[in-house]
Structures are given as C-alpha cells and as structure tokens.
Amino acid sequence: MYSSLVRLQNTFGFFTTVAFVVAAIIAASDLLAPRAPVVNTLEANNVQVATGRPHYYSNKKEEYASIRFTLDADLSSLFTWNTKQLFVYVTAEWPAAGSENATNQAVIWDTIITSPSADHLMNVGPATMKKLRKSAEGKSIDPSRGKISLKNQRPKYQITHPSGKLAEIDDVVLKLHYNVQPWVGALTWNQENLDVGLWKRLKGGVSEKFAFPAIKKKKEGGEKAKV
Amino acid sequence: MAEHILDQIRDVAEGQIDFEGQRLAELTVNLALSIVGAIAFFVGYFLQDIKLTVFVALGGTALTFLVVVPPWPFFNRNPVKWLPVGGGIPPQNLIMGDKAIR
C-alpha cells in the first residue's frame, strides 16, 4: 500500500471480492421469496389440422396443427427484486405411438415478461417501449405483470412432427411452463411435482386431454394428395 | 531546475505514504468496502430494487477509491526518521581489517 498504484490495485482487488460475495448473497436471497404460481384455466379451444409445406420450395407435405387456447394464470409471485424476466411457454404434448417412454412435445406459444428493471432490454419498437415503461413508472418491481389472461388465443407456432403425420392423435395435453431468469443466480424452471422449500410447484399447469382432429377438408371438393 | 520539477511530479504521481499510513489505508479499504457491500444489499433487498444495489455499491466503491488512493496528508503523519546524510561523527573504535578508521 506504499504507492498510489499499489493502493489502486489492492482496492480494486478487494472490490471484486465484495462484488462476488454480494452477488452470491443476492442469488441466495431468492430462496427466501415464496413462489406460488397458479394456473386457473388452461384449455384448448379450437384445434385444426391442415396439410402444408415446411417452406415454399418444398415438395414434402406435412400435417400442421393449429391449437387455439385459453389461458388464465397468476405468476405474480415469481417477480422479486432479482427477477430480470420471465419466459412463459405453452407446449402441446402427446405420447409417442407404439413406444413406451417417449413423449412428443412442441411449443405452440411463448412470451417474455420483463421486470421494470429490465424493460430497456425488451426487443420492441419505440411506441411499445414507451407504453411498457409507462405501465410501471416509478415501480422497481411489478408483480401484476405476472397475471396472464388469454381467451381463444391464436398459437404463435403451428406444430408438426418428424413423421409428417399429426391428424387423429388422442391424449394430447397443453402444458404451461415458465423459466425465471434472474439478474444474478441460476435459471429456474417450473417445478412440475416437487415443492422446494418456499417454492411451490406450479398448480394446474396441465390441460384436459383432447385429440387432434382429421385433416380439414378443402373447399374445392375432396382431399387429394393424402398421406 | 527541470530535474527538480520532474522529481516533484514523480513524487506526486507515485504517492508514497508512510508505514502507519499503509496500515491505515489497508484497514480503510477492507472496512469501507465490506460496509458498502452490506449496505448495498440491504437497501436493495428492503426496497426491492436491484438497480439501487448496483448504484449504492458502485458509488460507495468510488468514494473508497477517492479516500484511499491519493496520498492524503493523514497517511503521512508518521514519517520515517532517517539518519542524517554522511552519518555525522563516526564511531570511535571502528576497526576494518587491521586498520583503525579515523
């Protein structure tokens, strides 16, 4: 500590140690914040299967399912001071035909919910950004953003299967998943059937079973090019 | 003349402090940064605002740098007392080899 340069180096060195320890404590403090996410409603409303091509210049015909759904969920307890953003996604899942342990799973819809502290990271246009920032003006956290209410929502992604066949499959369910992304600490996903300390499992994140219908008939009489 | 000025500049840039000052500087750094870290965490936790934690921690650290890095006078209150140049009177019966030195 005899010269300015040495004092600069020592001070910075200890600062990095302090920063690391504080970050570790912040990450650990997440365990003290109770999580009790609830899904009140999750159901498929309107399921359609149609044939289509993976891209314009493809000769391959595949079946695509479009699942409209209704979702009412309260994930507000996931928003603490250390939450940067929450990734919420809905998957359709059904058992694989013929085999025992495989499950098919495909995402049909997702969204990113930011904390007010992370609004500036959202990839949206200036008008939406302004609205987003205004929605939580003066607030450092905004748990009310965790309340999701969607009615007959159109899916973001139409799903298919490697085999190209999707019609007339039974026992399909919709599942809600989430991924908490903190400022400091580990990513955590929803617990399906395990309570960890104050973090309760996601209540009611699975819809009732439904079936993919037969392929939608085309208007100009009869289906051609069936699989 | 120029050499004299250069020496002065070098002294200021190097910023040496005495031994007691070094002990004090080290104590200050460890205490101040630890306290700043604790305050930053609690402010952020109780006000539920992580940006506040970052700003408090960075601000406190900057302040610590300001207090500790420059050679402030209070780090130089116990200067080392060197023996005078030339040594003054040589000891009476100093013998080197066979010869007594006057």
Side-chain angles (χ1 to χ4, degrees):
Chain A
M1 303 291 260
Y2 71 97
S3 77
S4 288
L5 188 63
V6 173
R7 287 195 295 278
L8 192 76
Q9 288 175 325
N10 278 2
T11 312
F12 185 76
F14 191 59
F15 163 69
T16 56
T17 305
V18 170
F20 178 81
V21 170
V22 170
I25 295 173
I26 291 174
S29 79
D30 272 358
L31 294 166
L32 301 176
R35 292 182 178 178
V38 186
V39 178
N40 300 316
T41 319
L42 177 58
E43 58 184 30
N45 295 131
N46 181 6
V47 188
Q48 290 183 348
V49 177
T51 50
R53 289 174 285 189
H55 54 89
Y56 192 82
Y57 294 103
S58 171
N59 296 320
K60 213 168 127 197
K61 286 246 173 182
E62 289 177 328
E63 294 170 4
Y64 288 89
S66 167
I67 308 167
R68 279 179 175 266
F69 64 98
T70 292
L71 171 64
D72 183 76
D74 185 355
L75 307 178
S76 47
S77 62
L78 305 176
F79 287 88
T80 66
W81 71 311
N82 191 23
T83 307
K84 178 161 72 183
Q85 59 186 22
L86 185 70
F87 183 63
V88 184
Y89 53 110
V90 175
T91 57
E93 299 183 20
W94 64 95
S99 52
E100 295 83 34
N101 289 320
T103 306
N104 296 299
Q105 186 183 49
V107 175
I108 63 165
W109 178 86
D110 59 38
T111 191
I112 298 169
I113 307 173
T114 53
S115 256
S117 54
D119 277 351
H120 61 284
L121 300 173
M122 198 70 165
N123 186 18
V124 290
T128 320
M129 175 63 78
K130 212 172 161 189
K131 216 188 276 175
L132 183 68
R133 281 174 181 247
K134 211 170 177 187
S135 72
E137 223 171 3
K139 279 188 242 173
S140 57
I141 54 168
D142 187 4
S144 70
R145 288 188 183 174
K147 290 194 171 117
I148 306 171
S149 184
L150 303 167
K151 287 209 173 62
N152 201 21
Q153 166 73 35
R154 221 159 62 98
K156 255 188 177 174
Y157 313 108
Q158 302 190 345
I159 56 173
T160 184
H161 187 268
S163 70
K165 287 174 193 145
L166 210 60
E168 290 166 332
I169 287 173
D170 296 323
D171 297 339
V172 188
V173 290
L174 293 184
K175 277 190 188 175
L176 183 90
H177 309 254
Y178 64 74
N179 174 213
V180 181
Q181 303 175 7
W183 281 108
V184 217
L187 299 176
T188 44
W189 281 263
N190 55 302
Q191 297 122 258
E192 267 188 38
N193 38 34
L194 184 73
D195 290 345
V196 182
L198 296 172
W199 296 0
K200 303 293 173 230
R201 72 193 85 175
L202 177 61
K203 225 186 216 170
V206 186
S207 77
E208 304 229 318
K209 284 181 179 170
F210 61 95
F212 288 141
I215 296 174
K216 207 173 142 192
K217 290 211 171 76
K218 293 201 173 112
K219 276 176 198 160
E220 21 167 349
E223 318 126 73
K224 33 187 175 163
K226 255 202 99 176
V227 237
Chain B
M1 182 64 191
E3 208 165 272
H4 181 66
I5 293 172
L6 272 180
D7 266 354
Q8 269 186 333
I9 293 174
R10 206 173 296 136
D11 273 355
V12 170
E14 203 175 340
Q16 288 197 10
I17 57 178
D18 64 43
F19 291 120
E20 281 304 315
Q22 292 176 33
R23 190 207 303 275
L24 181 65
E26 182 141 5
L27 188 73
T28 314
V29 167
N30 292 349
L31 266 183
L33 286 184
S34 304
I35 291 170
V36 162
I39 290 176
F41 174 78
F42 283 111
V43 165
Y45 186 76
F46 287 109
L47 299 180
Q48 288 284 294
D49 189 346
I50 197 141
K51 280 184 179 173
L52 222 52
T53 300
V54 175
F55 293 144
V56 168
L58 288 184
T61 304
L63 214 66
T64 310
F65 271 98
L66 201 69
V67 168
V68 164
V69 173
W72 297 112
F74 55 81
F75 287 135
N76 270 319
R77 272 194 301 218
N78 300 292
V80 180
K81 288 184 186 85
W82 299 100
L83 290 175
V85 180
I89 315 136
Q92 279 310 306
N93 44 7
L94 182 66
I95 295 169
M96 264 188 159
D98 306 338
K99 292 172 188 166
I101 290 176
R102 293 279 132 192

